[in-house]
């Protein structure tokens, strides 16, 4: 990458020794991480003086500590050593395990924290308990010590109390008196208070069920009744026993939990918010105005084609619709509703074919469209009302790069890039654009983080992660080719982006087997100019080409591109992957008879569907935790893209893997799944196992006792990648 003021001045490392050791699974899944040290969850104290972040232990990447570094100079120092406060082997409650699974948090130790508004203390939830850290003295105060887990802890805006949920009930603890007050009625049975329901956490990206008012005098909270939600008796099979879990799981087309919203005056009365006459809706987002006089609620219809912004009087609960967003497919939720103190608000919409920013007045009347063009805004990062500027992230020039921009929302102007092109930037902007915490990587730069001023000038490193001679990846730096990028055209003419890793010691005169590594669903795109996961390099070392294609339906593109899969999972998405394989077969260096495919979750579904297409070009596939019949997956996700089974029977039938198994080549499949999966439930895989057995079709199987939707920890992932290498070597390199 070209040297700029925003990146390391040099990434040069000594040439690898001629006798460099090969990259092995044993080294990949060991400490220290080959990608180097990484700061996550970086936050700037409200007074702008201190940066805090989470960092895995060098001796155990699964446990995180809380670190800090002064903005104006000085060495990093540890604020909380997780080992001194908690036994990382402690069993977490089901509520805490479920919440972490929904947030995709696999680490232990310190996994979250929040600064107080006065910058004097930090709130740290840790393994089911809550602690406060005094910034000046570094003294740690334990706030809770009960048999149950306290989850979703928050400091009140006036810094006088801490709130948390325990046993399905919301409590507030006074920091001066240490007295605890129960805020909501006691939750029990199928009734829960102040906790986001399964669907909100897993599919709506909302992980809290209560919201402090800015004045700290009121709390809005949700009441959840799951009585009508179908019970899925889930068997959690672990290494040392079996646990039967009565999970309330809202399968597509079945009843959801009923959610109500209340506003409680602390120490006083409460009112119920009017969410409308139809209870079968989603409580999507809740925001307070800066003065605490209005509560804004985003109400999403069950079919997800209408999103209403409600303005609520918190003293009466009465609401009125401020604006409505509609779509003939689905309205994409976001967190880009930004209230302006001067009146009005910013809002993001896909109404012109791409996601862009719009300015509204207080009444909900459109003032102007702020951004324009054949590219989508990713999300709004911050707003400066004095200058009338909004800061946002976007892949404006190409979907495979990501940058920070600013633009005026008061007058028509073109966006100005604050970070350079060439890689993938993320930014946490503060102070109305006065500074931002920037994260960056590209194929030759491992993840870095630093503090920058509003012009993009680096003020100090947080974690430089310099790829020098001392870096863990240094011995391998010159051994493996960086990815190549290119494009193909889909059947409808839209552009598909791909990346390719060529084998170690690549010889264009030879032919190589290929592993297509994909996700393929609307939740994630994979083709990006970012640091390559060292695990992917294992396939290069083993003599494989690794190819990734983002098919139609993956995010970060236009409405037309994303909606191509509406009501037809297993349609254009699979067509594009097969087209990619056919293109590979035309390349002179590809062994066209030995192309494999692998993916997890929806990537597992895409793998199975591609493997069972008629005359498939794929010779082998490894499918992990695959949804195999969308009626077995949850309401919000499935109905958003597929409607209901009753309304779209053909779509559900065509996307059922069992209806295509006659096309599967015997011995070509490796099926993998965690045996305690509460997301893509185990029955998705067992129905495929049974069907293949009844057909007499041999396949390979790997099950992970105790694991949920992912496989966690170095030992198990070492086993998993050894398995991948063994499977694909046998299937795609028969001469070996």
């Amino acid at each position: 990458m070209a040297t700029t003021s925003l990146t390391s001045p040099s990434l040069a490392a000594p040439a690898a020794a001629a006798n460099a050791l090969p990259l092995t699974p044993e080294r990949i899944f060991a400490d220290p991480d080959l990608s180097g040290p990484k700061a996550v969850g970086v936050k700037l104290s409200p007074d702008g003086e201190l940066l805090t972040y989470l960092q895995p232990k060098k001796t155990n990447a699964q446990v995180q500590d809380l670190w800090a570094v002064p903005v104006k100079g000085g060495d990093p120092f540890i604020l909380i050593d997780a080992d001194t406060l908690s036994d990382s082997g402690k069993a977490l409650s089901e509520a805490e395990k479920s919440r972490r699974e929904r947030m995709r948090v696999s680490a232990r130790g310190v996994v979250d924290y929040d600064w107080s508004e006065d910058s004097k203390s930090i709130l740290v939830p840790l393994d089911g308990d809550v602690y406060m850290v005094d910034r000046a003295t570094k003294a740690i105060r334990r706030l809770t010590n009960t048999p149950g887990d306290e989850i979703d802890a928050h400091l009140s805006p006036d810094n006088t109390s801490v709130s948390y949920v325990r046993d399905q009930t919301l409590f507030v603890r006074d920091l001066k008196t240490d007295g605890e007050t129960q805020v909501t009625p006691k939750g029990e049975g199928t009734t829960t208070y102040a906790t986001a329901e399964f669907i909100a956490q897993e599919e709506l990206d909302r992980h809290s069920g209560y919201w402090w008012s800015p004045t700290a005098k009121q709390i809005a909270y949700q009441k959840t009744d799951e009585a009508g939600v179908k019970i899925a008796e889930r068997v959690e099979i672990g290494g040392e026993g079996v646990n039967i879990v009565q999970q309330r799981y809202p399968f597509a087309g079945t009843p959801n939990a009923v959610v109500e919203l209340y506003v409680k005056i602390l120490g006083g009365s409460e009112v119920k918010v009017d969410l409308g006459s139809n209870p079968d809706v989603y409580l999507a987002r809740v925001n307070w105005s800066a003065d605490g006089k209005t509560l804004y609620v985003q109400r999403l219809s069950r079919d997800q084609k209408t999103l209403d912004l409600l303005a609520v009087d918190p003293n009466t609960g009465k609401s009125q619709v401020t604006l409505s967003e509609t779509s003939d497919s689905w309205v994409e939720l976001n967190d880009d509703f930004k209230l302006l103190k001067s009146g009005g608000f910013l809002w993001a919409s896909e109404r012109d074919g791409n996601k862009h920013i719009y300015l509204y007045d207080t009444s909900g009347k459109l003032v102007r469209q702020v951004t324009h063009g054949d590219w989508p805004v990713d999300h709004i990062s911050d707003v400066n009302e004095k200058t009338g500027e909004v800061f946002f992230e976007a892949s404006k020039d190409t979907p495979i790069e990501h940058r920070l921009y600013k633009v005026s929302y008061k007058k028509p102007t073109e966006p100005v890039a604050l970070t350079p092109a060439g890689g993938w930037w993320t930014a946490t902007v503060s102070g109305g654009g006065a500074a931002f915490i920037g994260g960056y990587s590209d194929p030759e730069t491992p993840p870095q983080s630093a503090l920058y001023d509003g012009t993009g000038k680096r003020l100090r490193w947080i974690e430089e992660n310099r790829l020098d001679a001392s870096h863990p990846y240094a011995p391998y730096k010159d051994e493996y080719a960086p990815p190549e990028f290119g494009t193909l055209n889909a059947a409808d003419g839209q552009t598909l982006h791909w990346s390719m890793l060529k084998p170690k010691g690549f010889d264009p005169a030879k032919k190589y087997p290929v592993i297509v590594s994909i996700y393929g669903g609307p939740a994630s795109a994979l083709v990006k100019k970012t640091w390559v996961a060292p695990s992917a390099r294992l396939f290069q070392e083993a003599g494989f080409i690794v190819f990734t294609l983002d098919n139609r339906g993956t995010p970060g593109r236009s409405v037309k591109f994303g909606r191509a899969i509406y009501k037809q999972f297993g349609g254009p998405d699979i067509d594009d992957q097969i087209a990619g394989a056919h293109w590979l077969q035309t390349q002179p260096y590809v062994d066209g008879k030995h192309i494999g495919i692998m993916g997890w979750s929806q990537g597992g579904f895409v793998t199975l569907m591609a493997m069972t297409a008629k005359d498939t070009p794929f010779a082998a596939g490894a499918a992990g935790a695959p949804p195999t019949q969308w009626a077995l997956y949850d309401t919000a996700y499935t109905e958003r893209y597929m409607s209901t089974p009753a309304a779209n029977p053909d779509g559900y039938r065509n996307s059922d893997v069992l209806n295509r198994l006659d096309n599967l080549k015997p011995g070509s499949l490796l099926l993998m799944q965690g045996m305690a999966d509460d997301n893509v439930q185990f029955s998705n895989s067992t129905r495929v196992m049974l069907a293949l057995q009844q057909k007499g079709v041999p396949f390979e199987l790997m099950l992970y006792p105790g694991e949920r939707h992912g496989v966690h920890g170095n030992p198990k992932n070492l086993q998993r990648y050894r398995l991948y290498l063994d499977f694909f070597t046998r299937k795609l390199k028969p001469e070996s």
Side-chain angles (χ1 to χ4, degrees):
M1 185 188 70
T3 299
T4 72
S5 63
L6 291 167
T7 60
S8 174
S10 173
L11 293 176
N19 60 346
L21 295 175
L23 198 56
T24 65
E26 292 76 14
R27 177 60 194 91
I28 293 288
F29 299 105
D31 297 320
D33 191 331
L34 274 185
S35 293
K38 182 180 180 181
V40 298
V42 183
K43 298 180 183 181
L44 181 64
S45 61
D47 62 10
E49 295 181 358
L50 201 65
L51 288 155
T52 44
Y53 55 94
L54 305 175
Q55 193 164 63
K57 291 181 178 295
K58 292 182 179 180
T59 56
N60 185 353
Q62 294 303 302
V63 178
Q64 294 178 156
D65 298 321
L66 179 62
W67 285 75
V69 63
V71 167
K72 295 183 179 180
D75 295 328
F77 58 91
I78 193 167
L79 271 175
I80 290 187
D81 182 337
D83 287 345
T84 65
L85 294 183
S86 175
D87 174 9
S88 60
K90 171 190 173 184
L92 299 175
S93 68
E94 184 62 31
E96 178 68 0
K97 286 191 290 185
S98 178
R99 177 178 165 80
R100 292 189 182 199
E101 183 73 16
R102 304 285 79 78
M103 297 178 73
R104 305 299 187 258
V105 173
S106 59
R108 294 296 298 263
V110 185
V111 298
D112 193 15
Y113 68 97
D114 277 310
W115 275 97
S116 63
E117 291 296 326
D118 60 8
S119 299
K120 293 182 179 180
S121 55
I122 303 171
L123 178 73
V124 181
L126 194 152
D127 289 346
D129 286 307
V130 184
Y131 300 82
M132 288 286 288
V133 182
D134 185 275
R135 172 184 170 181
T137 66
K138 302 183 184 63
I140 299 171
R141 174 185 173 190
R142 184 170 184 166
L143 300 180
T144 60
N145 190 13
T146 64
D149 281 354
E150 284 77 21
I151 65 175
D152 195 20
H154 295 280
L155 272 167
S156 62
D158 61 1
N159 305 306
T160 64
S161 55
V162 169
S163 54
Y164 43 79
V165 178
R166 183 178 67 243
D167 297 330
Q168 304 172 227
T169 308
L170 178 64
F171 296 89
V172 169
R173 181 176 294 273
D174 189 296
L175 291 175
K176 291 183 179 179
T177 67
D178 206 33
E180 183 183 79
T181 302
Q182 180 177 316
V183 175
T184 66
K186 179 175 174 52
E188 54 187 349
T190 60
T191 301
T192 301
Y193 293 93
T195 300
E197 74 278 20
F198 172 88
I199 281 297
Q201 294 185 47
E202 181 63 37
E203 309 301 0
L204 306 184
D205 198 25
R206 177 171 67 79
H207 299 281
S208 186
Y210 70 96
W211 302 266
W212 280 95
S213 73
T215 62
K217 295 179 179 179
Q218 294 171 292
I219 295 181
Y221 69 86
Q222 76 173 75
K223 174 186 177 183
T224 305
D225 182 0
E226 292 187 297
V229 180
K230 186 175 180 180
I231 294 177
E233 192 169 73
R234 179 165 55 84
V235 181
E236 287 192 347
I237 303 175
E240 299 178 352
V242 175
N243 184 32
I244 307 298
V245 178
Q246 303 288 330
Q247 182 181 357
R248 298 276 176 172
Y249 191 97
F251 295 100
T254 68
N256 272 325
V258 176
V259 175
E260 298 173 346
L261 185 64
Y262 294 82
V263 179
K264 171 77 172 181
I265 298 175
L266 294 181
S269 61
E270 68 180 14
V271 296
K272 182 179 179 181
V273 173
D274 180 10
L275 295 178
S277 59
N278 182 6
D280 196 14
V281 295
Y282 294 108
L283 179 65
R285 299 287 186 270
V286 177
N287 301 90
W288 285 91
S289 62
D291 59 9
K293 294 181 179 180
T294 306
L295 184 70
Y296 288 94
V297 177
Q298 294 183 41
R299 178 184 65 194
L300 182 66
S301 62
R302 172 70 183 257
D303 65 8
Q304 301 185 59
K305 294 183 179 182
T306 302
L307 178 66
D308 295 318
L309 177 64
L310 307 179
V312 179
D313 182 340
N315 297 312
T316 66
K318 292 182 179 180
S319 66
Q320 61 180 13
V321 177
T322 300
L323 70 80
S324 291
E325 195 75 40
T326 60
S327 170
D328 58 4
S329 53
W330 72 83
V331 177
E332 193 74 44
L333 285 178
N334 59 63
D335 293 306
D336 297 320
F337 171 54
K338 303 297 180 184
L339 288 159
L340 303 174
K341 294 179 181 179
S342 56
F345 56 89
L346 295 172
W347 179 264
S349 169
E350 294 182 313
R351 70 190 58 165
D352 80 341
N354 282 285
K355 179 183 175 184
H356 282 297
I357 302 170
Y358 295 79
L359 175 66
Y360 286 84
D361 67 17
T362 305
S363 69
K365 180 182 178 181
L366 178 64
V367 177
R368 68 175 55 87
Q369 183 173 345
V370 177
T371 57
H372 305 260
D374 189 18
W375 51 272
V377 168
D378 186 345
H379 68 273
I380 295 175
S381 301
D382 202 6
V383 178
N384 188 321
E385 294 197 49
K386 290 183 179 179
T387 62
E389 294 173 317
V390 55
F391 297 79
F392 66 93
E393 294 176 47
S395 297
K396 182 175 179 293
D397 300 321
T398 170
I400 66 175
E401 296 182 9
H402 199 249
R403 303 168 73 184
L404 177 65
Y405 297 84
K406 70 176 180 179
V407 69
S408 172
Y409 61 80
K410 291 186 175 180
K411 57 185 179 181
T413 55
E414 286 297 311
V416 175
L418 298 175
T419 56
W424 198 270
W425 284 91
T426 59
T428 301
V429 184
S430 60
F436 66 90
I437 296 165
Y440 178 81
S441 82
D442 63 40
E444 297 182 4
T445 308
Q448 301 176 324
S449 56
L451 179 67
Y452 302 88
D453 69 14
T455 69
K457 178 183 178 181
R458 189 176 68 241
L459 301 176
R460 72 154 299 146
W461 287 111
I462 300 169
E463 182 52 76
E464 183 178 6
N465 197 15
R466 188 183 184 89
L467 213 174
D468 57 17
S470 64
H471 194 279
Y473 191 71
Y476 311 101
K477 177 180 179 295
D478 298 321
E479 295 294 304
Y480 303 95
E484 299 174 12
F485 297 90
T487 60
L488 300 174
N489 288 329
D492 64 358
Q494 295 193 85
T495 301
L496 307 174
H497 287 263
W498 58 259
S499 65
M500 180 186 293
L501 292 169
K502 290 180 176 176
K504 182 179 178 180
F506 175 75
D507 181 349
K510 295 182 179 180
K511 290 185 179 292
Y512 296 90
V514 180
I515 297 173
V516 177
S517 178
I518 47 86
Y519 177 72
S524 179
L526 299 184
V527 181
K528 303 175 181 179
K529 287 187 177 178
T530 58
W531 179 248
V532 177
S535 56
R537 303 291 194 186
L538 290 173
F539 298 114
Q540 287 181 282
E541 172 67 34
F544 294 100
I545 292 172
V546 181
F547 183 78
T548 299
L549 177 76
D550 281 343
N551 50 255
R552 285 171 291 172
T554 49
R557 301 287 298 276
S558 68
V559 170
K560 180 182 178 182
F561 190 90
R563 271 32 171 212
I565 46 83
Y566 184 53
K567 293 187 177 182
Q568 51 179 346
F569 276 161
D573 44 355
I574 309 307
D575 292 342
D576 291 349
Q577 293 299 335
I578 289 175
H582 286 319
W583 176 81
L584 285 168
Q585 290 175 326
T586 68
Q587 305 308 299
Y589 48 82
V590 168
D591 177 356
K593 293 183 179 180
H594 293 102
I595 299 176
I597 185 170
M598 62 181 287
W600 201 270
S601 192
Q602 185 139 2
F605 165 77
V606 172
T607 295
L608 281 175
M609 294 295 284
M611 290 286 295
T612 55
K614 188 177 181 180
D615 301 322
T616 181
F618 296 104
T628 65
Q629 159 56 287
W630 287 101
L632 295 177
Y633 201 56
D634 68 50
T635 51
Y637 185 91
T638 308
E639 293 173 14
R640 181 187 308 148
Y641 307 117
M642 291 286 287
S643 187
T644 64
N648 184 24
D650 289 343
Y652 278 79
R653 182 171 53 254
N654 294 337
S655 60
D656 187 339
V657 173
L658 261 60
N659 294 329
R660 302 158 59 101
L661 287 181
D662 286 342
N663 296 326
L664 184 69
K665 301 170 185 175
S668 63
L669 173 66
L670 169 61
L671 184 62
M672 314 165 79
Q673 180 146 1
M675 300 181 79
D677 198 329
D678 64 343
N679 184 352
V680 177
Q681 298 207 340
F682 196 21
S683 54
N684 280 273
S685 287
T686 56
R687 65 195 298 269
V688 173
M689 298 176 206
L690 177 60
L692 289 176
Q693 290 164 354
Q694 290 175 331
K695 292 176 181 293
V697 177
F699 64 99
E700 299 184 27
L701 178 67
M702 180 53 63
L703 302 176
Y704 289 92
E707 292 294 326
R708 297 199 176 196
H709 195 47
V711 176
H712 303 297
N714 278 337
K716 288 184 180 179
N717 278 300
L718 169 60
Q719 186 273 348
R720 184 161 65 105
Y721 272 81
R722 282 173 169 169
L723 182 62
Y724 282 140
L725 289 168
D726 172 74
F727 175 76
F728 283 120
T729 297
R730 287 186 286 108
K731 300 300 179 182
L732 303 182
K733 301 172 78 173
E735 73 283 356
S736 65

